Amino acid sequence: MSQTASSLLTTPAHTSQHNTLLRQTLASMNQIILGKEQTLRLALTCLLARGHLLIEDQPGVGKTTLSHLLARVLNLDFQRIQFTSDMLPADILGVSVYDQNSASFKFHPGPVFSQLVLADEVNRATPKAQSALLEAMEEYQVTTEGETHPLPSPFFVIATQNPSNQIGTFPLPESQLDRFLMRLEIGYPNQADEKALLKGRDRRELLKEMEATLTPAQLLEIQSVVPQIHVSDALIDYLQKILSFSRHSSCYRNGLSPRAGIAILRCAQAWALLDDRDHLLPEDIQAILPATTHHRLQPSVALAEQGQDEVVSHLLTVPLD
Amino acid sequence: MKRDLAHITTSRTTTLWLLAALLLAFAPHTLRLPLTISALCLLFGLWRFSIERRPAAKLPRRIVRTMILCATLVIVYLHYGTLLGREAGIALLATMLALKLLEMRTVRDYIVVILLGYFLAVTLVLYSQTLPIAAYMILVAFMLTATLIDLNLQQEKRSVQTRLQVTGKLFVQAVPIMLILFFLFPRIPGPLWSLPDDAHSGTTGISDEMSMGSISNLSQSNRIAFRVAFDEQIIDNTLSYWRGPVLWQTDGKNWRAGPAATSGALSYRPKGEPVHYTVTLEPHNRKWLYGLDIPATVPPQATINRDFQLITQSKVKELTRYEMSSYSEYETGPLTSDERQRALQLPTSRNSRAVALGQQWQQRLQEPEKIISHALQYFNQQPFVYTLKPPRLGDNPVDEFLFNTQQGFCEHYAASFTILMRAAGIPARIVTGYQGGDFNPIGNYLIVRQRDAHAWTEVWLARQGWVRVDPTAAVAPERIEQGAETLFSERFNRQSTLQFDSMFLTTGWLRLRYGWDTLNNSWNQWVIGYDTLKQSQLLSRFGIDSIKQMAIIMVIAIISVLTILQLLAMRRSRKKQDLISSTYQHFCQKFAAIGIQRQPHEGPIDFSQRIIAARPDLAPQVLQISDLYIALKYRPRHTQQQIKQLQQQVRRLKL
């Protein structure tokens, strides 16, 4: 905890300064991807809470654009890995090659050595390749041939999955889904926004003209403030009620893990920070609850025919006190 | 309350408070430290103070500090010839602490200085463990703790009021723990800190040597020698002779104990009932205790010798409390030939006129009893004066005193009388000690002060053994009957009748003085005197017998106190939360009545927005209440004021 970061809470001047930056960031993002304010805010929340993002949606709704956009406004270096069924871990992590001049093996870092990594269609690759990425996500470092290489900081992975057309895919198992802090859908734009999109300029070109609104250093600083957002005992009680509901209710096959509880708390804190507050409210938890629990919960047999969104929404009915 | 050190910041006020607290801790030491060292410490403190005054000024550089450090070490060493021991150690602590001020920059430095400040305050008890010192130390600790708390508060929360409030709270919470530690912490026999050799070296008191003028010097001192509580009734002043060293050997000028008494059983036949009493002796750095003439029982820390003197193994360096009983009437056993020889020893070269007078009496009167009464008559009828300021005497002090000056204090009378008796062939010796004392009617005990120091003579008579004869009583009977204080203070009163005109004022003053001494006495008895023995006596009454039990009960007691404090704090915050919730519930019910029902899962912001959508006219009040509720329930800190405001707002809300 650095001096500047901790004094953020006590001196409002700093907070508002950071908040201006965050507001600008959100505003520029909304210029590129139209009508998805809530989704963009959640994506940024996930990033501020130091988590990785899973996007499940149809092709063409803007998954790749969103990744490019985040890399652009946050001034992060960006790599895209297109996952295929013949992919090997070395394609992601990098390889050691014999160097004749120095007469030794030299490590050539793979595409994962980047601040923002887009893992496109992660379910196309074999579990072996998937787990190479997921391990890197968890450990923030890559170990090959006995050598450990730290990943850059900040390090943020956006993985995408195509929910339909599941033939020949290897869907991520629950245990690995849990590594993603949030799971988002982008969805189709509404009519007015689509009209603006169709009439407007090419999004890729617009992206190139965009200015970064945050430096990686500023991002790291804001990330360090997130855990300091005050959480009152009343809210801890509320969160525990939600967790206990997920574990005891007949709606779900399995309850939320303690890791999920921490994920909810961190995301809610980041959400509160984006809302320019130094304390958490029940509304913050409710806002990020679907995105953080959707991929972690399986409906019980009784609710099998309900949609996953509906299943998750039961959590929101847990009374406050 | 977890917070990093980096979070804490220092400020000018903190530094000034710290300097003030340190000055307070240091002030009493200036009375004992050499002037150079005190001045050095104050100089460093002032230096830091001036730096604090001018924001542009900088702390001295490392090389300068190192040079000052070396110079200071040399100065301390030159003063004491060592860097160890009590005096040099405290001087070193004080100077190093003052030097530390010149490099105090980070929070860690501040904390180090504050902790050293506590330590400096504690060293005060190495000199004195009286009630005022204890009170003063609490004051210093309070100031230092307030500074420490200030350091831990956030910048904008700092104020004199919070500082004092929090410190006061801490001190109150510490009281039960202090009591537990005081009563239950296993006492070590002897003082907790082993006092160094130089402790109490400057203490005045009766010594084992006497020369003309040594006791009258002592009589200027109001310091307390010991206090005595009698079990049944207080003894008559004329019998209250507190026996100290017995002096046999003289060169005509000086008196000393001489070689230790040879073997021979102690024998005496008491008459009447013994008197029981408890003495609390102030440290006097000598190897004896005082007891009422003559001791019947011997306290465990002493032995009794053939002179009926109570001898301790080591010097009395701490407040000592002992129970005793004495017989005021008695007959002692036979005299050994060695003792007879020592009791008749007379220097031939000096005081020839006095010796001649004694010899003349022996020839004329023959019988010892007659010689003694004649001698007393002689003192009574000749124009002898009892005075605190006798003229200086030369090489034949007894002759000069008896035949020229005739002004003297008790030692003059005792010494002359003994010489006369020895010349007349009666075995005699001088006994020193205290006589009389000051009865404190409030505390019901006797205070014996240094000015009650006294010397008298014992003569040996064939049928009675050693018999006490006090020649001073023949000259100034009021000294014996009323005590030294009355005798000399009357003279003082007569001189300043204006000030002490009113009887009421005088008695009021006396009452105050006795009351204060009673307080000090209780402090000595119950706090300072609470030693291993008292502790085990007290605790065995509750069935606690071993140190192990003591320690277990102590730990349990401390844990329970902490638990109770924690539970109380939790209950208070729980109560507060209940109040906040019920007030908000009330607010929700008001809207439920008009059809806007709060969902159980609905957060305060969502609910207030729903209300405002339905009833835009209520927006200001609803927003205010919602903000207050959020502040109270979800924000880190809130005030009692806000709870009241919330209650008020909800009550006032009309739909």
Side-chain angles (χ1 to χ4, degrees):
Chain A
M1 195 191 299
S2 74
Q3 171 75 51
T4 39
S6 52
S7 58
L8 259 170
L9 284 180
T10 54
T11 47
H14 279 244
T15 324
S16 59
Q17 188 196 332
H18 281 200
N19 208 260
T20 318
L21 290 174
L22 288 174
R23 260 204 307 276
Q24 281 171 0
T25 310
L26 273 176
S28 351
M29 285 166 74
N30 278 315
Q31 283 169 11
I32 304 293
I33 298 181
L34 300 174
K36 293 291 165 199
E37 215 169 310
Q38 205 68 356
T39 313
L40 294 180
R41 194 178 255 263
L42 281 168
L44 191 59
T45 301
C46 178
L47 205 154
L48 292 183
R50 291 186 221 241
H52 304 291
L53 182 62
L54 177 67
I55 304 177
E56 275 187 317
D57 217 330
Q58 306 297 327
V61 289
K63 293 183 298 238
T64 316
T65 314
L66 174 62
S67 317
H68 273 293
L69 177 59
L70 278 171
R72 188 82 202 168
V73 291
L74 301 175
N75 202 9
L76 303 173
D77 35 281
F78 175 73
Q79 283 281 352
R80 175 184 183 149
I81 312 172
Q82 185 65 51
F83 277 57
T84 54
S85 55
D86 57 353
M87 194 165 219
L88 292 174
D91 296 333
I92 302 166
L93 306 178
V95 282
S96 293
V97 178
Y98 187 72
D99 182 17
Q100 286 214 306
N101 293 334
S102 64
S104 64
F105 281 93
K106 195 169 173 240
F107 181 68
H108 290 262
V112 78
F113 285 87
S114 190
Q115 287 170 320
L116 201 160
V117 176
L118 172 62
D120 218 358
E121 296 198 78
V122 75
N123 55 344
R124 296 246 160 251
T126 55
K128 200 173 177 180
Q130 285 173 355
S131 63
L133 175 75
L134 291 160
E135 259 179 63
M137 280 163 54
E138 186 73 8
E139 308 294 333
Y140 288 90
Q141 63 184 29
V142 168
T143 305
T144 57
E145 286 146 33
E147 267 185 80
T148 301
H149 307 278
L151 287 169
S153 175
F155 176 68
F156 184 48
V157 172
I158 299 176
T160 67
Q161 273 199 118
N162 193 338
S164 57
N165 197 6
Q166 297 282 324
I167 304 159
T169 63
F170 302 92
L172 292 174
E174 285 96 55
S175 63
Q176 298 199 333
L177 283 172
D178 200 31
R179 307 267 170 97
F180 290 95
L181 190 63
M182 253 189 212
R183 176 234 175 243
L184 287 178
E185 283 166 25
I186 297 179
Y188 299 123
N190 64 24
Q191 255 191 321
D193 292 323
E194 190 149 31
K195 192 172 183 185
L197 180 73
L198 292 171
K199 282 173 80 177
R201 289 174 56 199
D202 181 37
R203 298 290 122 180
R204 295 292 167 99
E205 268 175 45
L206 274 178
L207 255 180
K208 277 178 198 156
E209 293 165 15
M210 266 190 74
E211 296 272 332
T213 49
L214 269 180
T215 64
Q218 280 171 327
L219 177 64
L220 283 174
E221 205 178 296
I222 296 174
Q223 281 180 338
S224 71
V225 180
V226 169
Q228 293 178 41
I229 298 289
H230 178 76
V231 186
S232 70
D233 286 347
L235 277 170
I236 297 283
D237 292 346
Y238 175 50
L239 179 55
Q240 281 189 306
K241 264 190 222 161
I242 293 174
L243 295 179
S244 135
F245 175 81
S246 78
R247 289 165 196 167
H248 299 118
S249 153
S250 58
C251 301
Y252 310 109
R253 254 197 289 173
N254 56 339
L256 290 167
S257 64
R259 173 156 53 179
I262 295 169
I264 294 170
L265 192 64
R266 284 283 170 274
C267 285
Q269 283 177 308
W271 185 267
L273 183 72
L274 270 179
D275 211 19
D276 199 10
R277 266 185 282 110
D278 64 352
H279 56 278
L280 203 63
L281 290 181
E283 281 87 346
D284 298 321
I285 294 183
Q286 289 166 2
I288 52 85
L289 203 53
T292 45
T293 52
H294 190 285
H295 56 299
R296 289 184 163 101
L297 288 173
Q298 273 106 43
S300 64
V301 187
L303 294 182
E305 63 269 25
Q306 288 188 359
Q308 179 75 359
D309 288 345
E310 205 176 322
V311 171
V312 169
S313 69
H314 291 301
L315 285 178
L316 293 172
T317 60
V318 173
L320 266 178
D321 31 32
Chain B
M1 279 258 220
K2 30 177 188 180
R3 244 186 246 144
D4 276 344
L5 224 56
H7 189 88
I8 309 168
T9 52
T10 61
S11 72
R12 246 190 62 187
T13 352
T14 320
T15 317
L16 293 183
W17 266 73
L18 178 57
L19 287 178
L22 288 179
L23 188 66
L24 216 56
F26 178 66
H29 284 295
T30 54
L31 298 175
R32 297 187 191 91
L33 286 175
L35 201 62
T36 337
I37 305 241
S38 301
L40 217 53
C41 293
L42 289 175
L43 179 79
F44 295 149
L46 269 177
W47 191 347
R48 177 67 204 219
F49 180 68
S50 70
I51 289 170
E52 222 46 52
R53 289 287 299 275
R54 285 173 295 132
K58 286 215 173 77
L59 293 175
R61 292 190 312 169
R62 181 183 284 268
I63 178 87
V64 180
R65 278 179 285 153
T66 314
M67 273 156 55
I68 298 176
L69 171 71
C70 295
T72 313
L73 284 176
V74 168
I75 290 173
V76 172
Y77 187 81
L78 287 181
H79 254 291
Y80 297 99
T82 173
L83 292 177
L84 304 173
R86 181 180 62 159
E87 308 283 340
I90 290 173
L92 201 63
L93 174 67
T95 44
M96 292 300 114
L97 178 54
L99 256 177
K100 182 77 191 166
L101 293 176
L102 296 182
E103 61 165 14
M104 190 172 66
R105 219 185 300 263
T106 64
V107 171
R108 190 183 161 277
D109 292 334
Y110 276 74
I111 290 172
V112 166
V113 168
I114 292 173
L115 295 182
L116 281 176
Y118 284 117
F119 201 73
L120 187 67
V122 165
T123 56
L124 283 174
V125 296
L126 290 182
Y127 292 101
S128 159
Q129 295 132 31
T130 58
L131 190 57
I133 286 288
Y136 189 82
M137 275 171 62
I138 288 175
L139 175 74
V140 173
F142 191 90
M143 285 286 287
L144 285 169
T145 310
T147 318
L148 197 56
I149 279 167
D150 200 40
L151 216 52
N152 282 280
L153 283 176
Q154 288 172 1
Q155 199 98 41
E156 65 269 26
K157 299 251 169 203
R158 287 177 186 169
S159 75
V160 178
Q161 205 197 341
T162 6
R163 207 170 332 184
L164 298 182
Q165 256 176 11
V166 176
T167 316
K169 229 191 225 171
L170 268 182
F171 269 59
V172 171
Q173 286 170 346
V175 167
I177 294 174
M178 180 188 81
L179 291 178
I180 291 169
L181 287 176
F182 176 79
F183 283 110
L184 290 172
F185 194 87
R187 297 282 159 143
I188 301 160
L192 191 57
W193 46 86
S194 164
L195 281 183
D197 278 343
D198 51 359
H200 303 294
S201 54
T203 313
T204 53
I206 285 178
S207 79
D208 51 1
E209 262 185 54
M210 188 189 86
S211 61
M212 302 287 185
S214 61
I215 291 181
S216 48
N217 270 342
L218 217 52
S219 298
Q220 322 265 352
S221 166
N222 248 337
R223 274 198 22 183
I224 287 166
F226 49 89
R227 295 183 176 89
V228 190
F230 288 94
D231 283 7
E232 294 107 26
Q233 58 185 40
I234 185 147
I235 191 161
D236 187 51
N237 234 0
T238 53
L239 289 176
S240 130
Y241 282 85
W242 301 94
R243 198 179 181 89
V246 178
L247 311 177
W248 298 76
Q249 205 175 34
T250 179
D251 58 358
K253 245 178 123 170
N254 299 310
W255 292 79
R256 58 174 60 84
T262 46
S263 59
L266 187 73
S267 70
Y268 64 91
R269 202 147 40 79
K271 294 188 198 161
E273 290 297 305
V275 191
H276 301 281
Y277 54 95
T278 308
V279 179
T280 312
L281 179 64
E282 296 280 329
H284 65 128
N285 212 32
R286 302 283 180 179
K287 285 188 170 182
W288 58 77
L289 306 178
Y290 293 96
L292 202 59
D293 228 6
I294 61 165
T297 55
V298 182
Q301 56 267 66
T303 53
I304 193 162
N305 68 10
R306 259 186 79 82
D307 296 346
F308 296 101
Q309 198 190 338
L310 300 166
I311 305 290
T312 53
Q313 289 248 301
S314 50
K315 293 178 176 175
V316 178
K317 286 192 170 182
E318 58 186 90
L319 201 74
T320 310
R321 194 168 170 278
Y322 50 91
E323 284 170 22
M324 275 195 65
S325 52
S326 294
Y327 292 106
S328 47
E329 287 178 66
Y330 54 90
E331 275 174 21
T332 66
L335 203 61
T336 65
S337 61
D338 174 55
E339 279 174 336
R340 174 174 289 275
Q341 196 191 334
R342 287 169 62 210
L344 286 171
Q345 176 255 343
L346 254 188
T348 45
S349 55
R350 289 200 171 109
N351 308 318
S352 47
R353 287 179 67 192
V355 174
L357 182 65
Q359 283 165 349
Q360 186 198 327
W361 287 348
Q362 186 190 21
Q363 280 160 15
R364 193 150 54 87
L365 299 162
Q366 304 284 342
E367 279 176 54
E369 283 86 351
K370 283 187 183 162
I371 298 172
I372 293 165
S373 59
H374 184 78
L376 291 176
Q377 249 172 40
Y378 177 81
F379 278 117
N380 188 254
Q381 282 158 13
Q382 294 278 320
F384 279 102
V385 177
Y386 182 68
T387 171
L388 263 178
K389 295 200 171 63
R392 284 184 64 83
L393 300 171
D395 266 353
N396 296 302
V398 177
D399 276 6
E400 285 169 50
F401 167 67
L402 279 177
F403 307 110
N404 296 339
T405 63
Q406 298 197 322
Q407 294 177 28
F409 198 61
C410 58
E411 72 263 34
H412 297 79
Y413 295 100
S416 317
F417 187 76
T418 310
I419 296 268
L420 285 169
M421 288 304 108
R422 286 184 178 184
I426 303 170
R429 61 186 183 186
I430 293 181
V431 183
T432 55
Y434 296 88
Q435 198 279 323
D438 207 358
F439 186 69
N440 182 338
I442 294 174
N444 228 6
Y445 59 89
L446 193 72
I447 310 167
V448 178
R449 297 170 191 274
Q450 292 300 345
R451 60 153 185 257
D452 296 315
H454 194 56
W456 61 92
T457 306
E458 273 181 346
V459 293
W460 194 84
L461 301 174
R463 276 185 297 280
Q464 291 162 282
W466 288 108
V467 173
R468 181 175 62 228
V469 180
D470 190 351
T472 311
V475 182
E478 63 276 17
R479 159 68 180 88
I480 308 303
E481 282 155 18
Q482 290 159 24
E485 191 201 15
T486 343
L487 184 67
F488 295 109
S489 64
E490 253 171 34
R491 204 166 297 167
F492 171 68
N493 276 349
R494 236 173 281 137
Q495 280 162 5
S496 54
T497 34
L498 273 181
Q499 274 170 309
F500 288 92
D501 210 2
S502 146
M503 189 64 192
F504 173 75
L505 198 68
T506 321
T507 49
W509 170 244
L510 266 179
R511 282 178 68 88
L512 207 68
R513 249 183 52 178
Y514 283 132
W516 173 240
D517 196 80
T518 309
L519 203 63
N520 276 319
N521 186 42
S522 326
W523 170 264
N524 283 344
Q525 301 296 324
W526 297 110
V527 181
I528 304 292
Y530 186 73
D531 54 6
T532 327
L533 193 70
K534 265 204 172 174
Q535 184 179 41
S536 59
Q537 278 173 356
L538 179 78
L539 296 183
S540 63
R541 241 187 270 168
F542 297 99
I544 309 167
D545 293 320
S546 67
I547 288 196
K548 202 171 149 196
Q549 275 178 322
M550 223 186 270
I552 291 171
I553 289 179
M554 181 177 75
V555 170
I556 291 174
I558 289 176
I559 291 174
S560 7
V561 165
L562 292 178
T563 316
I564 288 168
L565 284 176
Q566 179 66 27
L567 282 178
L568 281 179
M570 269 165 62
R571 224 185 102 202
R572 255 180 66 186
S573 96
R574 171 72 43 200
K575 257 188 175 166
K576 236 195 232 169
Q577 284 304 325
D578 286 350
L579 186 63
I580 294 164
S581 293
S582 68
T583 313
Y584 189 67
Q585 216 63 54
H586 186 54
F587 166 78
C588 297
Q589 277 161 10
K590 281 192 172 183
F591 282 99
I594 62 162
I596 309 174
Q597 189 95 38
R598 181 179 155 254
Q599 300 301 311
H601 60 268
E602 204 167 14
I605 290 188
D606 288 347
F607 184 50
S608 64
Q609 275 167 357
R610 211 151 56 84
I611 296 171
I612 291 165
R615 292 285 303 270
D617 53 314
L618 293 173
Q621 290 109 296
V622 170
L623 280 178
Q624 220 171 1
I625 290 170
S626 164
D627 276 356
L628 271 171
Y629 174 67
I630 286 170
L632 286 166
K633 186 141 181 160
Y634 299 117
R635 299 195 72 157
R637 274 170 290 267
H638 51 254
T639 60
Q640 202 66 38
Q641 185 78 30
Q642 283 173 309
I643 299 181
K644 280 199 193 115
Q645 255 178 326
L646 178 67
Q647 286 179 299
Q648 244 172 28
Q649 297 269 359
V650 171
R651 221 179 304 126
R652 277 192 206 144
L653 186 71
K654 295 271 184 304
L655 306 181

